[in-house]
């Protein structure tokens, strides 16, 4: 088994320190144009992050079992060397892009990911607002394990990707020099991703690299000031409700669905999907239908 560090665990002190420094910076140098911090919102984000540490350990048990079984079955093996780790990081970031994109366009997956978008603030504490139902991402990385990437190496790459994305949750950094903005996911690109206005919706899914968005047509540059949050915001700071509100909405919509097709659409179509309304009968069609009956 590769002896790789737990990047997230080692980064927690830096997360705390940088978040406190950003809070202090808003106290010393307020920015009327920035969303800034709100005590209840930040507390909810931190609470969601702490909860995710526990639940991720629970979900890790079946995921590790599945990955380990697949790794034992495949004859391929990727050695853990400095240059193969770089390639694995690149490959993991590619599959992260598709996982992230899938979690925006499939409602049952969005029910997990919506937690991260539920704050109307955009600051370093928002990066900590993580879901408690993170069991939904594992299928996207099966190709890596099937190609011989050890599950521990995959976990390391995923941790590096997650840690990288911490610093891009800020309004304190404007745009970086053009070469960085073209290649990397930056605070400017990620502000677009967290925005709720129409032109910014479902854009900039990359983790470390923004190149995937440029390549697959999901890139949008920051041109107007983002409005953070959801298209229909939730009015709660209760972590349990934040974690489950979209699952509750799905259950309600499925219960009220009139057909099996609508039930499936409520679960597997996009978050804003609505069934087509029946076409109204025209003046000529109504008597015909009645006569046929």
């Amino acid at each position: 088994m590769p002896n790789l560090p737990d990047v997230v665990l080692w980064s927690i002190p830096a997360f705390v320190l940088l978040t406190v420094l950003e809070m202090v910076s808003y106290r010393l140098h307020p920015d009327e144009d920035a969303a800034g911090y709100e005590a209840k919102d930040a507390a909810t984000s931190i609470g969601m992050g702490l909860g995710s540490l526990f639940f991720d350990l629970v979900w890790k048990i079946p995921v590790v079992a599945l990955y380990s079984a697949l790794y034992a079955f495949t004859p391929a093996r990727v050695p853990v060397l400095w240059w193969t780790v770089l390639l694995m990081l690149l490959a993991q970031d590619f599959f992260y892009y598709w996982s992230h994109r899938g979690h925006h366009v499939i409602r049952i997956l969005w029910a997990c990911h919506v937690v991260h978008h539920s704050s109307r603030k955009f600051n370093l504490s928002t990066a900590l607002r993580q879901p408690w139902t993170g069991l939904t991402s594992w299928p996207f990385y099966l190709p890596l394990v099937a190609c011989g990437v050890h599950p521990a190496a995959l976990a390391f790459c995923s941790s590096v990707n997650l840690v990288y994305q911490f610093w891009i949750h800020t309004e304190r950094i404007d745009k970086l020099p053009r070469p960085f903005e073209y290649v990397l996911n930056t605070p400017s690109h990620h502000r677009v991703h967290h925005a709720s206005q129409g032109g910014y919706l479902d854009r900039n899914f990359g983790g470390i690299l923004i190149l995937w968005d440029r390549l697959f047509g999901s890139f949008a540059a920051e041109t107007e000031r983002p409005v953070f949050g959801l298209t229909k915001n939730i009015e709660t700071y209760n972590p349990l409700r934040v974690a489950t509100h979209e699952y509750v909405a799905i259950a309600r919509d499925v219960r009220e669905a009139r057909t099996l097709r609508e039930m499936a659409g409520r679960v597997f179509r996009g978050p804003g999907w609505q069934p087509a309304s029946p076409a109204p009968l025209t003046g000529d069609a109504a008597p015909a239908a009645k006569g046929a009956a």
Side-chain angles (χ1 to χ4, degrees), residues 1-2 67-81 83-84 87-88 143-153:
M1 180 180 293
Y67 282 169
S68 298
L70 178 59
Y71 183 76
F73 178 79
T74 181
R77 290 292 182 269
V78 177
V80 179
L81 307 170
W83 61 273
T84 59
L87 291 177
M88 285 188 280
L144 282 177
V145 180
C147 288
V149 174
H150 194 284

Side-chain angles (χ1 to χ4, degrees), residues 129-149:
R129 187 176 286 225
Q130 297 295 322
W132 293 355
T133 54
L135 190 63
T136 55
S137 298
W138 68 268
F140 292 91
Y141 301 104
L142 286 174
L144 282 177
V145 180
C147 288
V149 174

Side-chain angles (χ1 to χ4, degrees), residues 206-278:
I208 297 174
L209 300 177
I210 203 67
L211 291 174
W212 311 122
D213 291 280
R214 296 185 186 277
L215 182 61
F216 297 113
S218 55
F219 175 75
E222 185 180 29
T223 55
E224 61 178 305
R225 179 161 191 80
V227 177
F228 302 114
L230 305 172
T231 55
K232 185 178 180 181
N233 286 300
I234 57 173
E235 304 296 334
T236 181
Y237 295 105
N238 183 323
L240 182 60
R241 290 182 61 191
V242 172
T244 61
H245 73 272
E246 185 64 14
Y247 293 107
V248 172
I250 291 175
R252 181 184 64 244
D253 289 345
V254 167
R255 185 173 62 248
E256 295 175 356
R258 294 166 294 179
T259 65
L260 288 176
R261 183 175 183 179
E262 183 182 345
M263 286 183 183
R266 295 293 192 183
V267 176
F268 299 110
R269 300 290 290 268
W273 179 83
Q274 294 290 334
S277 299

Side-chain angles (χ1 to χ4, degrees), residues 180-203:
F180 294 98
E181 292 286 337
Y182 190 83
V183 175
L184 297 174
N185 194 9
T186 65
S188 176
H189 298 326
H190 209 56
R191 286 192 290 268
V192 169
H193 180 70
H194 274 257
S196 60
Q197 57 257 65
Y200 285 168
L201 287 178
D202 297 335
R203 293 290 183 267

Side-chain angles (χ1 to χ4, degrees), residues 9-89:
L9 187 62
W10 282 99
S11 299
I12 289 176
F15 291 166
V16 174
L17 176 61
L18 291 172
T19 301
V20 171
L21 288 175
E22 189 184 44
M23 287 180 180
V24 172
S25 78
Y26 275 108
R27 288 281 187 177
L28 298 178
H29 299 285
D31 184 349
E32 293 181 359
D33 293 330
Y37 278 82
E38 181 184 354
K40 287 183 179 181
D41 180 83
T44 299
S45 295
I46 294 169
M48 296 302 299
L50 292 173
S52 74
L53 292 176
F54 169 77
F55 286 106
D56 283 351
L57 288 175
V58 175
W59 302 131
K60 190 176 291 185
I61 296 171
V63 171
V64 169
L66 285 166
Y67 282 169
S68 298
L70 178 59
Y71 183 76
F73 178 79
T74 181
R77 290 292 182 269
V78 177
V80 179
L81 307 170
W82 71 266
W83 61 273
T84 59
V85 169
L86 293 178
L87 291 177
M88 285 188 280
L89 282 168

